[in-house]
């Protein structure tokens, strides 16, 4: 059973509750250091009440597991960086959804180092943006050991003049044979003034690996939309249903039910306003 | 005659075959059964020359001559054929072209002229019927997107095209439904002849009701521990393998 | 894969490494205004051409060499290159092949490009270019009867100045990049193709470039224009001798397609790639190729098989302006030994309902580095535009690298882009499977790699698809274990 760690971020300061003894957590200015001890498992939920900048330094020891869910409670600009070090058999995941922005910018940079074999990293991000909001996600995965695995899925829904940029680099060293690393970036552009840029990149130096990336940018599927209309749904309801289904895939990955419900609620509220 | 003489082999420092001996004469059908981990699949791969395995003792001869120094394709030209348990996919390589390629490679090795596509087409149609496959099969890439049953039928089709002397059927029945099993067995029985020896490797007795063996061996921990006639298979079906492991 | 199998011979020597013993007129090394005037004078160019060159040269002097590509090479000394070399005999203009130095004819025959009337490649017109001059253009008269102009660029400058003034530099301006500026200043020869309205060019057109003189740069320039409803299929081939030093090949290719026109441009590139054991020598292939789909429903397809050069740096691109126009890019880039390639494409969608397809297959072996770099851009005006991209990489051995750097930028709500990239390996299981079926290792590798490249090879003109298949097999012989 995972331990559940709650963190609140307000005015540049992190405060936390329920920090289990096997997690070392401390803040020094903008830097936050997290270390999860061997064989232990924790899920953290960080709620941002104000904007700001945090530099996360996460160390996941052998066979430990660390999941972080990031929730923005108020409209704000964020500039987060996260550096994750994974030892043998360690697992880390990062989940976030951004759906409250109007003119704000969210920047997220994630660097992951796979030091030990059989380590795994997963990243799931969802952006539903309108007005002049912009989001920038940059990831850099460095596979330095064999049998390491990773999955990245980032989806954006863009209204009005919103923009999204995804830049993901997967680097595989010669020693990292049997790496299996996949990244997917999908964007729905629902306004002619919106813009999506996708740069999925691979640097591969080992010959026995499975690395793939996929990127799509487009609109809601016309056939699916038409099908719903023929079943009596209004245009508005049909679009809402399809958008919800599109976003659901990311929300479903969140390991805490309470957080999942909260995000779903936020999403539906947002979709009702655009 | 195919002779396997006290063969020992290992992979990654783990010994798998530990002094296995078996003689297969033309026209004979041998069945090898055994529990998981006994080394059954390893036997076929080692005899056919898979590079991951290292021979640490013993010999394998065809008509008295050792083949252990021969590369896998040379062993194939000498008449060895293996129907893989998990046939590999080769995307982008046209199945029909692949069949013609392997057939012509064999003709070339025996000093014959290659067949042109039209001549080969006639030859192939007859074989396709035996595995109940149609021309559409030939248009697809080798095993790519094939169902389990289709892959196994494709293996048997290749066997029919190459007309080998010694055939290893490596758990050909695994993953097969009743229809696929029927088709595969029928084709093997049609091909069966006094010049070809078969080694049928299987976990279950089911296949051996269709392809009836002359001899049944039980393989445990890298060696053949018991040999009998086809009734041994039924005995194993009833009792399992435990009584042989002590 | 066992190391010894990986290491065994590529004793397949580069078969085109010979040098032709022929007297050449060579300009002194170095680049300055005097050399440019010399080139222009040797070609007897009109004033507007000299002005074009000088303008480009002055601009080049203000530029710095770009360094963002994923390739490494020692600095090029632009003053240590001959910018002009031509066989002393025959004279520049040839009326018949009888006047061509037999040594030159023998050279091209050895390369598989027979030029003598009896043995000309049937159905393919060839413009043979040796160092800085065109030696012969086959079927020129016959094509003219159909209205198709196919001749060396220097001849076009003289005979069709209005067309040259209209189109040269209209797709790749001298300001575009460092090497385009250099080329505009010192380009020596290339092909000019003009297909008038409603004409489908009756044969494949081909230019064959042969560098012979040491320390020369090859700066050819090709211009192809197809008017409304016209179409042409063009093939570019190239080889060079084995020299210890590197040689620069900085070409520019411009394609213009008007309404409903169709241009297919295929390249099978086999420049000398450098010594396989040391990496020394080899051609630097820095090329700017661009097609402008000016007209409605026009189409430009680039198909390339890049197997040679020490360094390949090129992005054949399409600018899709005309409504409903289509751009295609099919590429196999093979690098082995010490080769480096940074290649890909740019598809810039400007017009409505434009469409582009990109299929790129990269194969790296030895100690080589292979990079795909691409841009797919949907401008605001590109309503309903669509792109699909498939990039696959195959690595052979553990000392090489494969990189993929695509950029997708969409600026409207009605375009769709789909992009997929995967890595593929020739597995030991696949090789064993083929071997167990009696296929030799070389044949198995050839079959698997051809399967991998199938989607690209099928876009090549039939005559050259076979050659490309064989070339790939030769280049990779015994690299897989």
């Amino acid at each position: 059973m995972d331990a559940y760690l709650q963190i609140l971020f307000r005015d540049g300061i992190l405060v936390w509750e329920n920090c289990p003894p096997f997690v070392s957590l401390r803040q020094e200015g903008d830097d936050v250091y997290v270390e999860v001890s061997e064989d232990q498992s924790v899920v953290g939920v960080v709620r941002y009440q104000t904007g700001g900048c945090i530099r996360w330094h996460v160390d996941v020891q052998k066979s430990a597991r660390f999941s972080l869910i990031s929730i923005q409670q108020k409209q704000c600009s964020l500039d987060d960086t996260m550096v994750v070090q994974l030892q043998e058999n360690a697992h880390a995941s990062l989940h976030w959804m951004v759906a409250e922005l109007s003119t704000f910018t969210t920047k997220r940079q994630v660097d992951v180092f796979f030091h030990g074999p059989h380590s795994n990293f997963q990243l799931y991000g969802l952006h539903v943006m309108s007005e002049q909001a912009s989001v920038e996600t940059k990831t850099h995965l460095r596979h330095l050991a064999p049998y390491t695995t990773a999955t990245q899925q980032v989806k954006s829904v863009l209204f009005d003049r919103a923009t999204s940029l995804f830049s993901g680099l997967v680097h595989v060293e010669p020693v990292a044979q049997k790496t299996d690393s996949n990244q997917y970036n999908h964007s729905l552009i629902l306004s002619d003034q919106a813009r999506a840029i996708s740069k999925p990149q691979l640097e591969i130096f080992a010959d026995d690996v499975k690395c793939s990336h996929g990127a799509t940018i487009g609109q809601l599927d016309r056939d699916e939309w038409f099908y719903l209309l023929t079943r009596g749904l209004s245009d508005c309801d049909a679009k809402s249903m399809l958008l919800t289904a599109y976003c659901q895939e990311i929300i479903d990955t969140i390991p805490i039910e309470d957080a999942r419900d909260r995000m779903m609620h936020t999403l539906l509220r947002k979709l009702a306003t655009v | 005659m195919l002779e396997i003489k006290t063969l020992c082999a290992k992979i990654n420092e783990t010994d798998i075959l530990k002094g296995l001996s078996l003689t297969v004469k033309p026209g004979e059908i041998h069945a090898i059964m055994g529990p998981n981990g006994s080394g059954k699949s390893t036997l076929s791969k080692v005899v056919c020359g898979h590079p991951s395995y290292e021979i640490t003792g013993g010999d394998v001869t065809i008509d008295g001559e050792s083949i252990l120094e021969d590369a896998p394709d040379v062993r194939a030209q000498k008449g060895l054929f293996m129907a893989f348990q998990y046939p590999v996919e080769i995307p982008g390589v046209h199945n029909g072209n692949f069949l013609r390629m392997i057939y012509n490679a064999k003709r070339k090795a025996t000093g014959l002229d290659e067949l042109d596509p039209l001549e080969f087409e006639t030859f192939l149609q007859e074989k396709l019927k035996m595995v109940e496959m149609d021309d559409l099969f030939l248009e697809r890439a080798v095993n790519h997107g094939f169902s389990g049953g289709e892959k196994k039928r494709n293996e048997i089709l290749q066997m029919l095209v190459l007309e080998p002397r010694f055939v290893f059927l490596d758990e050909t029945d695994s993953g097969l439904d009743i229809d696929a099993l029927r088709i595969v067995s029928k084709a093997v029985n049609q091909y069966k002849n006094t010049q070809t020896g078969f080694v049928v490797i299987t976990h279950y007795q089911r296949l051996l009701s269709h392809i009836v063996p002359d001899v049944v061996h039980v393989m445990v921990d890298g060696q053949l521990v018991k040999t009998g006639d086809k009734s041994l298979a039924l005995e194993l079906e009833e009792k399992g393998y435990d009584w042989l492991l002590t | 894969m066992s190391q010894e199998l990986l290491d065994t011979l590529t004793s397949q020597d580069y078969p085109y490494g010979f040098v032709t013993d022929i007297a050449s007129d060579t300009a002194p090394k170095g680049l300055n205004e005097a050399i440019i005037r010399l080139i222009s004078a040797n070609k007897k160019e009109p004033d507007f051409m000299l002005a074009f060159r000088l303008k480009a040269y002055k601009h080049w002097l203000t530029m710095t060499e770009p360094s963002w590509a994923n390739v490494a090479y020692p600095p090029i000394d632009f003053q240590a290159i001959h910018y002009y070399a031509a066989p002393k005999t025959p004279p520049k203009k040839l009326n018949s092949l009888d006047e061509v130095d037999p040594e030159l004819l023998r050279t091209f025959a050895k390369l598989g490009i027979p030029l003598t009337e009896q043995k000309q490649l049937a159905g393919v017109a060839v413009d043979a270019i040796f160092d800085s001059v065109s030696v012969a253009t086959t079927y020129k008269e016959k094509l003219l009867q159909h209205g198709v102009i196919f001749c060396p660029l220097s001849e076009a400058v003289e005979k069709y100045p209005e067309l040259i003034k209209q189109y040269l530099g209209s797709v790749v301006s001298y300001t575009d990049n460092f090497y385009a500026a250099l080329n505009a200043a010192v380009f020596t020869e290339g092909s000019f193709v003009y297909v008038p309205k409603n004409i489908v060019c009756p044969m494949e057109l081909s230019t064959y470039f042969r560098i012979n003189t040491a320390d020369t740069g090859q700066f050819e320039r090709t211009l192809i224009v197809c008017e409304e409803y016209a179409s042409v299929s063009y093939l570019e081939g190239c080889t060079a001798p084995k020299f210890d030093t590197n040689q620069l090949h900085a070409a520019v290719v411009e394609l213009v397609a008007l309404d409903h026109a169709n241009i297919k441009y295929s390249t099978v590139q086999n420049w000398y790639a450098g010594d396989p054991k040391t990496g020394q020598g080899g051609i630097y292939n820095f090329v700017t190729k661009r097609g402008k789909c000016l007209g409605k429903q026009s189409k430009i397809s680039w198909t390339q098989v890049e197997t040679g050069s020490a360094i390949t740096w090129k992005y054949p691109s399409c600018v899709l302006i005309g409504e409903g126009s289509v751009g295609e890019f099919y590429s196999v880039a093979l690098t082995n030994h010490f080769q480096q390639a940074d290649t890909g494409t740019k598809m810039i969608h400007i017009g409505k309902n434009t469409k582009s397809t990109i299929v790129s297959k990269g194969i790296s072996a030895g100690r080589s580095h292979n990079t795909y770099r691409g841009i797919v851009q949907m401008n605001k005006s590109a309503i309903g535009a669509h792109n699909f991209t498939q990039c696959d990489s195959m690595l052979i051995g553990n000392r090489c690298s494969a990189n993929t750097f695509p950029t997708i930028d969409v600026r409207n709500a009605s375009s769709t882009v789909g992009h997929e990239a995967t890595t593929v390996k020739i597995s030991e299981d696949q090789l064993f499977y083929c071997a167990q079926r009696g296929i030799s290792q070389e044949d198995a590798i050839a079959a698997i790699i051809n399967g991998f490249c199938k989607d690209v090879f099928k876009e090549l003109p039939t005559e050259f698809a076979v050659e490309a298949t064989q070339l790939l097999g030769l280049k990779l012989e015994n690299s897989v274990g």
Side-chain angles (χ1 to χ4, degrees):
Chain A
M1 177 97 158
D2 292 336
Y4 178 31
L5 164 65
Q6 296 186 72
I7 308 170
L8 195 64
F9 177 82
R10 189 199 297 139
D11 301 328
I13 311 278
L14 246 61
V15 297
W16 47 86
E17 289 174 17
N18 309 332
C19 185
F22 52 79
V23 174
S24 141
L25 181 56
R26 69 177 202 282
Q27 181 175 15
E28 283 169 19
D30 289 340
D31 294 282
V32 174
Y33 297 88
V34 183
E35 188 178 318
V36 185
S37 308
E38 230 178 272
D39 291 313
Q40 302 298 339
S41 184
V42 66
V43 178
V45 177
V46 55
R47 290 177 219 282
Y48 291 84
Q49 286 196 336
T50 58
C53 152
I54 303 187
R55 288 190 290 269
W56 298 84
H57 306 265
V58 178
D59 212 320
V60 189
Q61 294 300 326
K62 201 163 152 196
S63 302
R65 301 173 66 87
F66 176 69
S67 287
L68 186 67
I69 302 163
S70 177
I71 298 182
Q72 272 162 264
Q73 290 189 299
K74 291 237 165 69
Q75 303 201 40
C76 52
S77 280
L78 269 194
D79 190 350
D80 257 20
T81 62
M82 180 178 284
V83 178
V84 182
Q85 316 276 0
L86 295 171
Q87 305 308 324
E88 188 179 339
N89 218 28
H91 164 92
S93 68
L94 181 60
H95 308 257
W96 76 84
M97 185 180 88
V98 166
E100 296 265 37
L101 308 182
S102 59
T103 56
F104 299 100
T105 306
T106 299
K107 283 190 192 171
R108 200 174 246 106
Q109 176 147 345
V110 181
D111 283 86
V112 184
F113 294 82
F114 297 78
H115 294 292
H118 301 282
S119 45
N120 164 269
F121 178 75
Q122 292 175 29
L123 180 150
Y124 298 97
L126 176 63
H127 315 116
V128 182
M129 314 190 334
S130 59
E131 293 179 55
Q132 271 167 243
S134 91
V135 69
E136 211 175 280
T137 313
K138 290 192 179 156
T139 68
H140 188 169
L141 270 52
R142 294 169 180 80
H143 292 267
L144 308 168
Y147 295 99
T148 54
T149 52
T151 304
Q152 298 177 66
Q153 265 238 54
V154 176
K155 285 189 174 184
S156 300
V157 182
L158 306 171
F159 296 94
D160 307 327
R161 288 178 300 290
T163 58
S164 91
L165 164 68
F166 173 80
S167 172
L169 174 58
V170 171
H171 180 98
V172 182
E173 282 287 299
V175 69
Q177 295 289 14
K178 304 286 189 196
T179 287
D180 188 341
S181 191
N182 306 286
Q183 53 175 320
Y184 304 102
N185 176 224
H186 305 292
S187 303
L188 286 183
I189 302 187
L190 300 174
S191 142
D192 274 326
Q193 276 69 51
R195 184 175 174 188
I197 302 175
S198 185
K199 297 190 193 184
Q201 301 172 64
L202 297 172
E203 272 179 0
I204 305 188
F205 291 81
D207 66 330
D208 192 2
V209 301
K210 269 197 233 161
C211 291
S212 68
H213 64 229
T216 61
I217 301 183
Q219 301 78 49
L220 289 172
D221 188 297
R222 282 193 82 81
D223 291 337
E224 289 174 7
W225 168 83
F226 180 67
Y227 180 82
L228 292 177
L229 257 59
T230 63
R231 296 310 184 251
L233 284 173
S234 70
D235 173 48
C236 189
D237 285 345
K239 284 189 175 143
S240 184
M241 185 177 275
L242 291 172
L243 283 173
T244 308
Y246 180 78
C247 300
Q248 185 99 38
E249 195 186 352
I250 303 293
I251 295 179
D252 280 349
T253 66
I254 295 169
I256 296 191
E257 193 178 335
D258 181 49
R260 257 197 322 272
D261 291 342
R262 177 187 277 274
M263 291 224 188
M264 202 58 215
H265 184 70
T266 306
L267 172 69
L268 292 171
R269 207 172 58 221
K270 175 72 179 177
L271 288 178
T273 63
V274 285
Chain B
M1 177 158 79
L2 171 70
E3 281 183 277
I4 302 168
K5 302 174 186 170
T6 52
L7 191 60
C8 300
K10 68 178 183 184
I11 181 172
N12 292 336
E13 304 313 313
T14 307
D15 293 318
I16 310 276
L17 299 181
K18 299 174 184 175
L20 190 142
S21 294
L22 176 69
T23 301
V24 182
K25 297 202 184 100
E28 290 180 348
I29 301 185
H30 293 248
I32 299 184
M33 302 179 74
N36 285 332
S38 54
K40 304 193 297 295
S41 278
T42 300
L43 174 62
S44 355
K45 288 193 189 139
V46 169
V47 169
C48 291
H50 195 289
S52 295
Y53 299 89
E54 192 189 326
I55 309 287
T56 51
D59 199 2
V60 180
T61 65
I62 292 182
D63 299 335
E65 272 179 35
S66 175
I67 59 168
L68 289 186
E69 296 301 309
D70 290 335
D73 54 313
V74 174
R75 299 188 200 197
Q77 296 308 345
K78 287 186 177 171
L80 269 182
F81 180 89
M82 176 177 163
F84 286 71
Q85 183 178 7
Y86 303 111
V88 97
E89 295 181 11
I90 312 181
V93 178
H94 186 270
N95 202 25
N97 288 343
F98 183 74
L99 290 168
R100 196 174 85 248
M101 196 173 162
I102 61 179
Y103 183 71
N104 280 332
K106 175 152 183 200
R107 280 183 73 93
K108 199 164 141 193
T110 50
L112 293 168
D113 283 333
E114 295 182 1
L115 285 192
D116 69 38
L118 280 175
E119 290 169 314
F120 180 70
E121 175 70 19
T122 319
F123 168 79
L124 187 59
Q125 282 303 323
E126 187 198 312
K127 312 294 180 191
L128 276 174
K129 283 203 188 67
M130 286 165 78
V131 284
E132 296 182 29
M133 282 158 84
D134 59 32
D135 283 342
L136 288 173
F137 248 124
L138 302 176
E139 297 307 312
R140 294 156 71 179
V142 180
N143 296 325
H144 188 56
F146 283 28
S147 70
E150 287 168 345
K151 282 184 185 173
K152 295 295 169 80
R153 277 149 70 197
N154 202 28
E155 292 295 281
I156 300 303
L157 176 60
Q158 290 174 24
M159 179 195 81
L160 296 171
V161 164
L162 289 174
E163 295 174 332
R165 294 179 58 199
F166 301 102
V167 178
F168 282 79
L169 297 179
D170 189 359
E171 304 216 31
T172 296
D173 55 334
S174 79
L176 283 190
D177 62 31
I178 303 173
D179 285 321
L181 185 64
R182 176 188 58 79
I183 296 169
V184 162
S185 308
K186 192 179 91 176
V188 169
N189 282 326
Q190 274 181 290
Y191 177 64
K192 205 169 65 177
N193 60 73
T194 54
Q195 306 308 313
T196 304
F198 277 86
V199 177
V200 180
I201 296 166
T202 181
H203 202 67
Y204 301 106
Q205 192 279 331
R206 187 177 67 149
L207 178 65
L208 303 178
S209 310
H210 297 270
I211 303 175
V212 181
D214 301 308
V215 191
V216 175
H217 310 271
V218 184
M219 185 166 176
V220 174
D221 195 26
Q223 283 183 313
L224 297 182
V225 300
K226 193 164 176 63
T227 298
D229 65 18
K230 60 188 182 208
S231 64
L232 177 56
L234 293 161
E235 196 180 346
L236 287 169
E237 172 96 324
E238 209 184 291
K239 292 169 152 175
Y241 294 103
D242 286 342
W243 58 288
L244 288 163
L245 297 177
T246 44
Chain C
M1 309 268 159
S2 80
Q3 194 57 43
E4 50 189 285
L5 283 168
L6 257 174
D7 286 344
T8 29
L9 73 91
T10 301
S11 72
Q12 181 60 43
D13 243 354
Y14 184 67
Y16 310 119
F18 62 93
V19 176
T20 298
D21 189 13
I22 193 164
S24 271
D25 265 329
T26 313
K29 285 187 186 178
L31 180 57
N32 50 56
E33 214 176 283
I35 295 286
I36 294 175
R37 286 177 188 278
L38 177 70
I39 294 173
S40 199
N42 267 345
K43 292 187 164 296
K44 298 189 171 47
E45 286 177 345
D47 291 338
F48 80 86
M49 216 49 251
L50 177 60
F52 179 90
R53 292 177 182 277
L54 290 173
K55 201 166 162 193
Y57 174 65
K58 290 194 169 77
H59 188 75
W60 180 74
L61 289 172
T62 67
M63 298 172 95
T64 31
E65 217 181 323
S67 59
W68 45 261
N70 194 25
V71 293
Y73 53 93
I76 298 176
D77 182 358
F78 291 97
Q79 298 306 327
I81 299 175
H82 294 290
Y83 287 89
Y84 184 85
K88 264 197 165 82
T89 53
K92 193 163 64 74
K93 287 220 189 40
L94 298 158
N95 292 319
S96 97
L97 284 165
D98 293 338
E99 295 176 33
V100 178
D101 189 314
E103 196 53 48
L104 282 175
L105 288 180
R106 263 196 288 280
T107 298
F108 279 99
K110 216 160 146 188
L111 297 168
I113 316 285
L115 296 173
T116 50
E117 303 287 345
Q118 308 89 311
K119 294 191 187 149
Q120 273 164 15
L121 296 168
V124 184
V126 179
D127 184 13
I129 298 190
F130 191 88
D131 279 336
S132 309
V133 294
S134 169
V135 164
T137 311
T138 61
Y139 294 111
K140 206 161 63 167
E141 298 312 319
K142 189 165 172 196
L143 286 166
L144 257 181
Q145 282 163 22
H146 281 88
V148 176
I149 303 173
F150 175 47
C151 65
L153 194 65
S154 54
E155 192 178 312
V157 167
E158 188 198 344
K159 286 193 178 147
Y160 314 104
E162 292 313 314
L163 285 176
I164 298 297
K165 278 187 198 162
Q166 185 180 0
Y167 290 111
L168 194 72
S170 68
V171 185
V172 179
S173 139
Y174 64 86
T175 56
D176 191 278
N177 68 71
F178 184 84
Y179 289 99
L182 179 61
N183 177 287
V186 301
F187 77 87
T188 41
E189 195 51 282
S191 295
F192 176 67
V193 176
Y194 185 85
V195 186
K197 266 199 250 287
N198 299 317
I199 302 291
V200 171
C201 183
M203 34 182 23
E204 301 271 349
L205 302 183
S206 160
T207 304
Y208 197 90
F209 295 98
R210 172 71 182 171
I211 299 179
N212 193 62
T213 308
D215 297 329
T216 44
Q218 235 310 359
F219 301 96
E220 85 266 6
R221 187 144 189 137
T222 295
L223 174 61
I224 300 180
V225 179
C226 269
E227 283 195 337
E228 290 84 345
Y229 291 93
S231 82
V232 71
S233 170
Y234 177 91
L235 180 93
E236 175 201 310
C238 22
T239 63
K242 284 193 242 195
F243 290 125
D244 288 337
T245 51
N246 297 103
Q247 281 174 286
L248 179 60
H249 174 244
V252 168
V253 174
E254 295 177 283
L255 308 181
V256 179
L258 303 187
D259 289 358
H260 296 271
N262 192 325
I263 303 178
K264 189 178 179 59
Y265 191 104
S266 312
T267 306
V268 177
Q269 184 263 103
N270 190 18
W271 293 116
Y272 177 54
D275 186 288
K277 293 195 180 64
T278 61
Q280 213 188 0
I283 303 291
Y284 290 162
N285 194 28
F286 299 168
V287 170
T288 305
K289 288 180 172 172
R290 193 167 302 145
K292 222 183 222 180
C293 282
L294 264 181
K296 286 197 296 260
Q297 310 297 334
S298 55
K299 179 168 162 185
I300 291 179
S301 310
W302 298 99
T303 304
Q304 60 177 30
V305 178
E306 306 280 322
T307 64
S309 293
I311 303 185
T312 298
W313 190 0
K314 59 188 283 222
Y315 313 98
S317 303
C318 293
V319 182
L320 302 165
I321 298 172
E323 197 175 315
S325 54
V326 173
E328 293 176 342
F329 176 77
Y330 297 95
S331 164
V332 167
L334 166 69
T335 54
N336 198 354
H337 307 302
F338 292 89
Q339 286 176 286
Q340 304 174 69
D342 191 319
T343 180
T345 183
K346 296 193 276 202
M347 294 291 175
I348 312 292
H349 292 252
I350 296 175
K352 285 198 255 198
N353 300 319
T354 48
K355 200 167 105 113
S356 61
T357 305
I358 298 172
V359 176
S360 162
K361 306 277 179 177
I363 305 170
S364 336
R367 276 187 249 259
S368 66
H369 299 287
N370 200 323
T371 299
Y372 166 84
R373 197 180 299 267
I375 295 180
V376 172
Q377 184 174 304
M378 304 292 193
N379 285 8
K380 274 209 188 326
S381 52
I383 311 276
H386 177 77
N387 162 273
F388 175 70
T389 302
Q390 176 85 41
C391 286
D392 295 325
S393 309
M394 180 188 277
L395 284 109
I396 300 176
N398 215 25
R399 294 178 294 181
C400 52
S401 76
N403 306 305
T404 318
F405 301 136
T407 298
I408 306 161
D409 185 351
V410 178
R411 304 176 193 180
N412 68 59
S414 58
S415 300
T416 54
V417 175
H419 175 103
E420 284 166 26
T422 58
T423 51
V424 164
K425 179 186 155 77
I426 300 182
S427 70
E428 197 171 63
D429 285 341
Q430 281 173 328
L431 285 177
F432 179 64
Y433 186 80
C434 291
Q436 211 297 298
R437 298 310 186 240
I439 302 173
S440 71
Q441 172 133 305
E442 284 87 55
D443 287 347
I445 294 165
I448 294 170
I449 289 189
N450 276 302
F452 179 65
C453 299
K454 197 178 66 146
D455 290 336
V456 174
F457 285 165
K458 74 180 200 287
E459 297 300 322
L460 281 173
T462 339
E463 293 83 3
F464 302 104
V466 174
E467 183 190 314
T469 309
Q470 286 166 348
L471 182 58
L472 229 57
L474 286 172
K475 287 275 167 169
L476 275 177
E477 216 166 29
N478 292 304
S479 325
V480 185

